[in-house]
């Protein structure tokens, strides 16, 4: 995806980079300086796999990446709460590389295999396709970005968050 001003190109790795068995998998978001043709920043998306889409917000300050977040290092006890595998939208700040993970699953329903992402021309909505079901998620981007501030990168996603933006 190209940034709104054309200065950056964002590329996401679809498959996770695997490391030692005791390490979580991770995908990589690469930001490329379109004018110089060099890598401007690499951002690791911890515990992410199957990242299949990327889009810049209308103001170019964030990159949105739908992905599966896996927790292969935790005991499988909290399946219903999304603690083993969950669908997320990784919100990456372009200036700092900070990442917030926001859930795409609803407390009563899952959103399997998030895939493509597109933004409305006015930047108010994001549309995500589910690769594992016949579903489309519509996200209220201003509400989602308000939730971003309180999202913790290291904790399982609170599924109740989706009520404000899904």
């Amino acid at each position: 995806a190209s940034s709104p001003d054309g200065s950056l190109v964002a590329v996401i790795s679809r498959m996770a980079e695997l490391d030692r068995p005791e390490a979580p998998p991770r995908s990589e978001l690469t930001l490329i300086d379109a004018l110089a043709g060099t890598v401007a920043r690499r951002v690791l998306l911890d515990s992410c796999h199957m990242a299949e889409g990327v889009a810049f917000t209308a103001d170019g300050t964030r990159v949105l990446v739908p992905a599966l977040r896996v927790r292969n290092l935790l005991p499988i006890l909290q399946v219903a709460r999304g603690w083993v595998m969950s669908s997320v939208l990784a919100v990456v700040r372009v200036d700092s590389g900070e990442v917030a993970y926001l859930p795409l699953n609803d407390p009563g329903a899952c959103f399997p295999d998030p895939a493509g992402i597109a933004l409305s021309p006015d930047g108010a909505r994001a549309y995500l396709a589910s690769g594992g079901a016949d579903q489309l998620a519509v996200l209220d981007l201003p509400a989602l970005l308000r939730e971003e501030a309180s999202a913790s990168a290291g904790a399982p996603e609170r599924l109740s968050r989706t009520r404000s933006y899904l």
Side-chain angles (χ1 to χ4, degrees):
S2 180
S3 63
D5 66 2
S7 66
L8 290 173
V9 174
V11 179
I12 186 70
S13 63
R14 179 179 185 270
M15 300 300 286
E17 173 187 299
L18 301 176
D19 200 346
R20 305 173 319 277
E22 66 276 9
R26 56 190 175 257
S27 290
E28 180 179 283
L29 172 69
T30 306
L31 296 175
I32 300 167
D33 182 318
L35 300 175
T38 58
V39 173
R41 179 184 303 277
R42 294 179 189 273
V43 179
L44 292 177
L45 304 180
D46 289 327
S47 296
C48 283
H49 181 61
M50 300 296 286
E52 295 185 331
V54 62
F56 279 88
T57 55
D59 62 5
T61 62
R62 292 170 181 85
V63 177
L64 308 175
V65 180
L68 283 180
R69 192 146 193 238
V70 296
R71 290 169 193 82
N72 60 315
L73 305 179
L74 295 174
I76 300 177
L77 301 173
Q78 300 286 342
V79 175
R81 294 185 181 173
W83 287 24
V84 176
M85 184 180 300
S86 57
S87 297
V88 297
L89 185 66
V91 181
V92 181
R93 290 182 168 266
V94 172
D95 61 351
S96 66
E98 291 179 55
V99 183
Y101 299 102
L102 293 164
L104 295 172
N105 298 318
D106 194 37
C110 66
F111 188 77
D113 304 330
I117 182 170
L119 272 58
S120 62
D122 64 1
R125 300 275 186 264
Y127 302 93
L128 286 93
S130 167
D134 189 16
Q135 297 178 17
L136 179 71
V138 181
L139 307 180
D140 178 332
L141 277 181
L144 180 130
L145 295 177
R146 285 190 296 274
E147 288 288 335
E148 171 201 11
S150 61
S152 171
E157 296 75 38
R158 285 185 18 229
L159 298 184
S160 61
R161 287 184 186 280
T162 60
R163 291 185 180 122
S164 68
Y165 57 82
L166 179 63

